[in-house]
Amino acid sequence: MAVYDGLMKQDLGWIGPGGEVLDAAVFGTKAALLSRAACVGVPVPPAFVMPEALLEEERLEATLREAVARLSAGLEGPPLLSVRASSRGSGSDVVPAILNIGASGDAMPELIARHGPRVAQDMRRRLIQSFGVGALGVEEEEFEYALFDLLRELGVEAESDLDAGQLADLAETCLRLIDDATGAAFPEDPCDQLVRAVREIARAWHAPRARLRRLSRGFDEDAPLALMVQVMAIGLGTGRSSGAGVAHPRDPATGAARMSGRYLVNAQGGEAMMGLRTPSVLCRWEREEKQLREPSLEEGDPAATAELASISQRVERELGEVFSLDFTLAGGSVQILELYQLKRSARATVQIAVDLAEAGAITREEALLRTGPGVIDEHLHPTIDPAAKRDVVGQGLPASPGASSGPLVFSPRAAEQAAELGEPALLALIETSPEDIRGMHAATGVLTVRGGMTSHAAVVARGLGTPCVVGAQNLTLNVEEKTLKAPDGRIFREGDVITVDGGEGQVLAGAVPTLMPEITGAFATLMSWADAARRLDVRANADMGSDAETALGFAAHGIGLCRTEHMFFQDHRIAPMRQMILADGEADRRAALDKLLPMQRGDFMELFTQMRGMPVVIRLLDPPLHEFLPHGTGEMEEMARELKVPVDKIRARALELAEFNPMLGKRGCRIGIAFPEVYEMQVRAIFEAMADFKAQTGQDSLPEIMLPLVSAVRELALLKERIADVAEAVRAERGASLDYSLGVMIETPRACLRAGDIARLADFLSFGTNDLTQMLYGLSRDDAGRFIPDYVAQGVYEHDPFHQIDEEGVGEMIRIGIERARAVKPEISIGLCGEHGGDPESISFCEAAGFDYVSCSPYRVPVARLAAAQAAIRARR
Ligand code: PEP
Ligand code: MG
């Protein structure tokens, strides 16, 4: 025994009396959880667990004999045993368990004496069946057919109607089936049964069938195996208090502490969930709600459900998690066979994390770390009901989360018309451009067949919080015919209802039921914990008052990017903007800008009013001017009529402004240098709005003027001077003190390298990681969506660099920029305002790189707040 003790203690894990907490990495998750439960007093049948390395040892048989001897100590007679896989993570059930090992022919007299003839015979035939399937490779259906044949022949309904003799006959039939299928005799020696069960389950675990099953369920194909040999809990017998079931201690949809589950009389293992027999429900409320006739376990054996409730509370308190419990009722006494994490909705995830932290079962930090960003997303947008059927017709990129159903429209105008009638519309386009923004505003969902994660459609939809799928290349969109063709040949026409799932990137046929978001209660509590834990501030990219309002609703700490060009696409502003572009000289241009000035002033006033003294980063005009001109002949003619200018003039100007590489052309601060009056108008609008705001409210606004696409410090120097001149002029006109700060968007590689010089003249820097990624990779942000999925699928890129920051390249450039800027101005404020500002992994990078804030679209703000908290907690650990 001494030798055995020394050997076993080191190599085997023990669950039950004298056992300890087992390491999941060695003994698998199932065994580790059971051991933890047993250690806090949960009734668990005793077991030993063998790590995979032991299975190959020559001493396997001796080891098993010795371990069984120890397991049996103190028990009445040799116990029946089960052998189950216990792997790391989920998926232990890809190989079947073998039950009732030891119920051999020789053991029958004793089993009959202890359990009665019927239960004893049932144990034996269950051993034969599970051994046949698990160790001898006989198909389970063979046994099921045999059972059904017998039931039909006897004219009885269920196997629980069979008596001892009939069960013995069934066992004989099963033995014959095994003989026919394998030609092998059934091993009657219990030790032989155990050794073979262990060996065969281990072999099956690594066989292609189990590997494929693991793969198809998203588990690790090569997951290591441990085997658990456990004393059987006997759930056999025809009274209500013998059976097996599963208990879910909380509501998977809401997280509320309300138990539900299934229970099958006269059953073992996971039988209640196998679907061969119809189980009853666990609790009375379930029976009443579902209007079932069969009484619940709670009604049949209230003490058992009370015991289950008390066990689950203990597990929650001691293990700090909510688990579903596989249990067996052996003559009324509860035994827990397996614990697995309760499957839960996003809402339940948050409710449970907050409840556990408030009860002191886990820390607040732990509650924050357990909440994935997807969970927050799901809280803020309607999501497809997990119970709904999905008829997927197209696949693209998940550009903006949430699900939306509606009739298809194929033009922004049609989306606007639907909105005017108060009707939903799903806008499908090849891709979108700035002039489509009003239609996108009106649409309830957006779908494009081209474009990547930072394409115009994706950026705008995220800003609007509109569910959006981009780059659904397997769909064929015919704009002329207004049709959308699926790969399977189905054609969807205008008015046909489809659904976009912007969280999954899927396009689905028809309307699909959705669940509505819930942003109060536990969610609000969790977010307040996140705010207390984070170091990074989170601002929002907001272009208009309505965006700012949304951002504030999500507790943004200011606006980190207002793209002023979006203001020009609103209402009637596009006309004076176009007049400005068509102007023949500076005087004409100034006349058009004079019309835009009050509108811009109003825009800024609205932002200042919304943000009540919080910082507002206003970026001066960025896109190339030709983006404001129409493209097609029809639209040009319409513009000519509206502005009363010859269409040829428009065409000529469009041609003149056309560039081979507009993204690297006359855009950003280059516009401000080339047409000083454009930026002059914009900053005058800012300063006048500041003065108006102060006059009207008595409060100060906090504008931070930002110059886009700077690559040389001289650009900044020149513009800084001009802006100061305008400020001085407005100060003199209005007698107001105008405190503003001036910063630079660092979005060219050269600006990163020259960040030291730039910082000398700037009050703040904000990294524009969309353009920076584009320029560092030499990868067009508008075209990359066409091939990045292939790149990611083939492992060329680990992920889409427009979505998650490329730490190796773009990240290094950013670190260089920060280092050089802080070397000359340690206190300079540094933010990030590209799309990466809403991506949790990128936020984690920002925490490490020493940013002061990130800025993202308003609907991403809560995700960013949580991610910032998680990054800070991890950094502290
Ligand atoms: C950027 O380039 O990262 C950015 C925020 O600016 P935009 O997307 O407007 O070019
Ligand atoms: Mg940019």
Side-chain angles (χ1 to χ4, degrees), residues 14 40 81 111 135 187 230 276 350 363 424 429 524 559 582 776 800 822:
W14 292 91
V40 299
L81 301 172
L111 290 175
Q230 188 168 37
L276 293 175
V350 172
T363 61
L429 294 172
I559 292 177
L582 290 177
L776 272 175
D800 180 346
R822 291 234 164 99

Side-chain angles (χ1 to χ4, degrees), residues 561 563 619 622 667 745 747 768-771 781 833-834:
L561 175 63
R563 293 173 164 107
R619 180 181 75 183
D622 180 32
R667 57 166 287 213
M745 200 156 173
E747 50 184 346
T769 44
N770 301 336
D771 273 310
R781 57 194 267 195
C833 61

